[in-house]
Amino acid sequence: MALSKLEKRNRIKRRVRGKISGSSELPRLSVYKSNKEIYAQLIDDKEGKTLASASSRSLNAKGNKVEISAEVGKAIAEKAKAAGIENIVFDRNGFVYHGRVKALADGAREGGLKF
């Protein structure tokens, strides 16, 4: 029986989340994308807290989705720098590392975050 796209993503997500975890020194950068928007959060899994977040909704940036994703990456990097965070663990949340997810990661790297 073939799995749906969502079931495949959830399997990948569970497998990856079993291997990575965020802490206050090395938070997890979690990415979620919908058809219209993209969201990024820096999460401390040990405390269960979100340290910083950015989204395409809060930016009001212009351009195509890939360009907006890069801007979200830069915004989350700025917020991380303000919180004193330089190193992170990247969690693509089961999404393919391509297109908007890659653009967000590249934007975060340009902003000074180290994966």
Side-chain angles (χ1 to χ4, degrees):
M1 184 174 138
L3 297 174
S4 72
K5 194 172 188 178
L6 182 61
E7 289 169 332
K8 281 187 207 174
R9 190 175 81 80
N10 283 332
R11 276 192 178 184
I12 294 167
K13 182 178 173 178
R14 281 195 309 266
R15 185 172 58 236
V16 171
R17 286 288 289 120
K19 296 174 186 174
I20 66 171
S21 179
S23 65
S24 58
E25 303 86 36
L26 193 67
R28 175 171 58 96
L29 175 60
S30 179
V31 175
Y32 177 76
K33 66 175 185 151
S34 66
N35 286 338
K36 291 184 177 182
E37 311 290 345
I38 190 157
Y39 307 87
Q41 291 182 323
L42 287 173
I43 302 169
D44 177 1
D45 289 314
K46 292 181 181 174
E47 295 289 323
K49 292 184 178 179
T50 299
L51 305 174
S53 65
S55 71
S56 56
R57 296 184 81 162
S58 63
L59 286 183
N60 297 324
K62 300 289 183 197
N64 63 28
K65 291 180 190 176
V66 175
E67 293 167 353
I68 292 171
S69 297
E71 292 298 319
V72 171
K74 290 175 187 173
I76 194 74
E78 288 175 17
K79 290 182 180 183
K81 290 286 187 178
I85 299 167
E86 279 192 25
N87 297 317
I88 60 161
V89 176
F90 189 71
D91 177 13
R92 58 189 174 89
N93 221 352
F95 295 107
V96 178
Y97 188 79
H98 183 265
R100 291 193 285 159
V101 175
K102 184 176 187 295
L104 189 140
D106 291 341
R109 283 190 186 101
E110 283 178 29
L113 289 179
K114 295 176 186 154
F115 295 35

